[in-house]
């Protein structure tokens, strides 16, 4: 016979995999100094004057090429554990005169340029070009400039990051420092910040419940405000400096009102409530041991705080519709297969203002379950 | 009767049956939402004053369209089984009983029930999911 209990269990298991917006596990490298050995390897004897300037609160080193005969440079080998795009940010400042400097990132296994940044200090304002990679921005910071570019990297391959300063025989040195790769996440007393990327682009929205990972403390909390680089949460949390290997993600809310279980929601936190509708059943093939077909529906109601906008509840609803896409199948422990119907396919309701303080979006998932008749 | 006459009669018959199937489908759909249907599994609307039940109406915007709607403000709360201002903590279904008297409401999740002894929630969703069965039934009625 149709086993609705197993069907409900399969639906709950599937529901637990709900995946909302996420930063992914952020990879972050920071070089605070330039040309200091042994962290840096040097070709020739490029000049370095440590912490010769301060831009944006960070010390910059003054570096140059004092050989008129050969090109001097310094390099490091950043290790990327994940492939994909890497935001590269660095602080620069002009010294005294015209100079043209190069900064590069190359793949050593599959020889290729991943990033080339050409910085031309003809005037105080640098002219920056990226023959390889993408130049995102050049913004003034105090008396210097922050250059942001996007590179690609292959996680398994080794890479070389090189700084090739101008020849001091004809040009000037330049200030360089606080070189960042990837995205670093930090925790503040009121939420989280990131060094690159955008929480808005990732899809975070007020009203969502965010789960941190990789921090010393990883408390789940509710987002109250979002901008590109700052996420504000409802509960105060411990401050932790920027680091690598962290993530923020939105999953199924912790608050869950399962059928026939008591649940009192927590004010301000999103929660879900389920209804399982067994639906009608019929035998679709004739004769003994025919096929029994049931058309149950799984209704998931997502509640969030009223007045927090549509982003949070819409985000949850969209994630649910993605999770239960038409034709999604779930195999029950008895071997029967529960499928998400295509007509009608899963759909969601308009946002409803319900009891005072709550708003809700209802996602309805029509299903089909077939099994063999026992007689 | 020549072939032309037979063809005309057949055309009229098809048109009449199509019209009957169209009307019957609308009537079965409205009945499924209002009173429930074994074809769709819809429980129909719960009844206290009867306002919600009777608020469901069927209109004909054109000769080929049927529009079934309600103007009842709390219809979505019933349809989706939402916790409402009437029942903010979902507690109406879990009354304590002492000495034959119904006691205070107890904390509860989705175990609440309506005051009505008939009807239930999600009638529109179940009707929509079982719509093809209503169409099949309407066609069978026309063919009878």
């Amino acid at each position: 016979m149709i086993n609705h209990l197993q069907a409900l269990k399969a639906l709950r298991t599937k529901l637990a995999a709900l995946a909302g917006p996420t930063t992914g596990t952020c990879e972050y490298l920071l070089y605070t100094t330039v040309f200091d050995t042994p962290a840096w390897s040097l070709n020739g004897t490029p000049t370095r004057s440590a912490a010769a300037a301060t831009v944006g609160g960070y010390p910059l080193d003054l570096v140059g090429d004092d050989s008129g005969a050969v090109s001097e440079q310094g390099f490091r080998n950043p290790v990327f554990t994940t492939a994909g795009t890497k935001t590269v940010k660095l602080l620069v400042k002009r010294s005294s005169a015209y100079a043209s400097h190069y900064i590069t990132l190359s793949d050593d296994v599959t020889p290729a340029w991943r990033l080339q940044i050409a910085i031309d200090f003809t005037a105080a304002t640098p002219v920056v070009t990226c023959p390889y990679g993408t130049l995102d921005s050049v913004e003034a910071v105090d008396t210097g400039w922050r250059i942001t570019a996007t590179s690609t990297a292959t996680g398994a391959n080794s890479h070389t990051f090189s700084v090739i300063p101008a020849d001091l025989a004809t040009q000037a040195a330049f200030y360089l420092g606080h070189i960042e790769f990837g995205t670093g996440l930090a925790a503040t007393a009121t939420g989280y910040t990131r060094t690159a990327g955008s929480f808005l682009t990732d899809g975070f929205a007020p009203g969502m419940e965010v789960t941190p990972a990789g921090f010393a403390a990883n408390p789940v909390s509710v987002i109250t405000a979002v901008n590109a680089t700052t996420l504000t949460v409802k509960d105060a949390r411990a401050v932790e400096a920027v680091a690598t290997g962290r993530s923020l993600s939105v999953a199924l809310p912790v608050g869950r009102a399962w059928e026939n279980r008591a649940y009192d929601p927590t004010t301000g936190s999103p929660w879900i409530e389920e209804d399982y509708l067994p639906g009608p059943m019929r035998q679709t093939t004739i004769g003994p041991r025919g096929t029994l077909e049931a058309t149950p529906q799984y209704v998931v109601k997502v509640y969030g705080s009223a007045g927090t906008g549509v982003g949070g509840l819409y985000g949850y609803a969209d994630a649910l519709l993605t999770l239960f896409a038409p034709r999604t199948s779930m195999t029950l422990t008895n071997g029967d297969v529960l499928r998400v119907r295509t007509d009608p396919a899963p759909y969601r309701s308009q946002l409803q203002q319900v009891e005072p303080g709550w708003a809700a979006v209802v996602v309805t998932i029509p299903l089909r379950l077939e099994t063999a008749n026992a007689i | 009767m020549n072939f032309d006459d037979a063809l005309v009669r057949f055309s009229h018959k098809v048109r009449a049956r199509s019209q009957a199937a169209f009307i019957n489908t609308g009537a079965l759909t409205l009945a499924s939402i209002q009173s429930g249907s074994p074809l769709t599994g819809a429980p129909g609307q719960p009844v206290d004053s009867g306002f919600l039940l009777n608020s469901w109406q069927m209109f004909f915007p054109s000769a080929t369209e049927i529009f079934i709607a309600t103007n009842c403000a709390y219809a979505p709360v019933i349809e989706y089984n939402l916790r409402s201002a009437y029942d903010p903590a979902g507690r109406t279904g879990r009354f304590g009983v002492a000495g034959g008297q119904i006691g205070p409401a107890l904390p509860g999740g989705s175990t609440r029930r309506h005051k009505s002894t008939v009807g239930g929630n999600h009638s529109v969703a179940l009707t929509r999911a079982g719509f093809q069965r209503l169409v099949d039934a309407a066609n069978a009625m026309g063919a009878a």
Side-chain angles (χ1 to χ4, degrees):
Chain A
M1 286 294 290
I2 296 288
N3 194 320
H4 288 295
L5 177 59
Q6 287 188 16
L8 180 56
K9 287 181 176 177
L11 287 163
R12 286 179 180 173
T13 300
K14 184 75 175 173
L15 191 62
L18 183 77
T22 180
T23 60
T25 301
C26 293
E27 190 168 43
Y28 180 71
L29 299 174
L30 172 63
Y31 298 161
T32 56
T33 57
V34 183
F35 289 3
D36 61 320
T37 56
W40 287 75
S41 300
L42 304 179
N43 285 339
T45 55
T47 62
R48 172 181 186 246
S49 178
T54 299
V55 172
Y58 300 107
L60 306 191
D61 296 342
L62 181 66
V63 293
D65 173 357
D66 62 356
S67 169
V70 298
S71 175
E72 296 182 320
Q73 60 183 275
F75 63 88
R76 294 184 68 162
N77 299 110
V79 176
F80 301 117
T81 56
T82 58
T85 59
K86 306 290 177 188
T87 299
V88 179
K89 302 172 81 171
L90 42 91
L91 292 171
V92 298
K93 181 183 174 183
R94 185 178 191 260
S95 59
S96 58
Y98 167 78
S100 186
H101 315 276
Y102 292 93
I103 294 170
T104 66
L105 180 69
S106 60
D107 187 322
D108 302 334
V109 177
T110 307
W113 292 112
R114 297 300 185 192
L115 179 67
Q116 280 188 1
I117 303 175
I119 307 166
D120 187 346
F121 273 118
T122 302
T125 302
V127 176
V128 182
T129 55
C130 278
Y132 291 89
T134 305
L135 179 65
D136 297 324
S137 65
V138 179
E139 55 183 326
V141 178
D142 296 341
T143 55
W145 304 85
R146 175 179 284 114
I147 298 171
T148 304
T150 302
S151 172
T152 57
T154 304
N157 292 357
S158 60
H159 295 78
T160 299
F161 177 74
S162 303
V163 174
I164 308 163
D167 185 349
L168 297 179
T170 56
Q171 301 179 36
F174 80 124
Y175 300 93
L176 172 65
H178 201 73
I179 303 165
E180 300 170 283
F181 299 88
T183 301
L185 289 175
T188 66
T190 57
Y192 303 91
T193 60
R194 64 192 298 166
T195 60
S198 168
F199 290 121
L200 293 170
T201 304
D202 285 342
F204 291 95
M208 291 178 171
E209 195 174 67
V210 65
T211 302
F215 294 83
N218 297 293
V220 175
S221 192
V222 180
I223 301 169
T224 56
V226 182
N227 68 29
T229 57
T230 305
L231 205 63
T232 307
V233 297
K234 187 178 72 169
D235 307 304
R237 60 147 301 140
V239 175
E240 295 184 42
V242 65
T244 190
R246 294 170 173 170
S247 67
L248 296 172
S249 55
V250 174
L252 189 68
V254 172
R256 299 161 194 179
W258 300 129
E259 280 196 318
N260 203 27
R261 288 279 188 187
Y263 176 74
D264 286 323
T266 302
T267 302
S269 297
W271 55 286
I272 64 156
E273 184 177 41
E274 69 170 5
D275 280 350
Y276 179 84
L277 319 179
M281 192 169 76
R282 63 178 176 176
Q283 183 167 325
T284 55
T285 58
I286 61 173
R289 311 282 180 190
T291 301
L292 294 177
E293 179 199 70
T295 49
Q297 296 190 63
Y298 193 48
V299 181
V300 181
K301 292 164 274 186
V302 187
Y303 293 79
S305 294
T308 55
V310 298
L313 289 173
Y314 275 44
Y316 280 119
D318 288 348
L320 279 165
L321 292 174
T322 301
L323 184 67
F324 291 99
R327 299 177 59 245
T328 298
S329 63
M330 290 152 274
T331 303
L332 311 189
T333 51
N334 65 1
D336 292 343
V337 178
L338 180 67
R339 292 184 192 282
V340 177
R341 290 175 61 177
T342 57
D343 184 19
Y347 57 96
R348 49 152 289 187
S349 76
Q350 171 189 4
L351 188 148
Q352 312 274 329
Q353 295 293 336
V354 282
E355 67 173 270
W358 294 106
V361 171
V362 182
V363 176
T364 304
I365 304 158
L367 302 157
R368 176 171 283 112
L369 179 59
E370 292 182 330
T371 193
N373 193 353
I375 59 171
Chain B
M1 180 172 61
N2 60 29
F3 181 73
D4 286 353
D5 292 338
L7 207 55
V8 169
R9 270 196 288 275
F10 178 74
S11 173
H12 288 167
K13 191 174 182 179
V14 168
R15 193 177 302 172
R17 287 192 175 180
S18 298
Q19 186 67 10
F22 174 66
I23 299 295
N24 288 337
T25 299
L28 288 173
T29 302
L30 179 62
S32 176
I33 293 171
Q34 281 186 307
S35 309
S37 166
L39 295 172
T40 62
Q45 303 301 310
V47 178
D48 180 15
S49 66
F51 177 77
L52 173 62
L53 176 74
N54 294 316
S55 72
W56 283 100
Q57 298 289 325
M58 182 164 67
F59 308 94
F60 294 85
S62 72
T64 56
E65 288 177 287
I66 293 175
F67 186 65
I68 297 173
T70 174
N71 63 354
C72 177
Y74 59 88
V77 173
I78 299 297
E79 168 63 21
Y80 296 125
N81 193 22
L82 293 169
R83 296 190 186 187
S84 63
Y86 169 74
D87 178 23
R91 295 179 178 184
T92 56
R94 291 170 59 86
F95 289 97
V97 178
Q101 301 294 314
I102 295 178
L106 301 174
S110 49
T111 56
R112 62 195 179 280
R113 62 169 182 256
H114 302 290
K115 290 191 288 184
S116 173
T117 56
V118 298
N121 308 109
H122 305 292
S123 285
V124 174
L126 287 160
T127 300
R128 183 178 175 185
F131 182 70
Q132 187 57 48
R133 294 181 184 183
L134 297 177
V135 174
D136 294 344
N139 283 328
M141 291 164 69

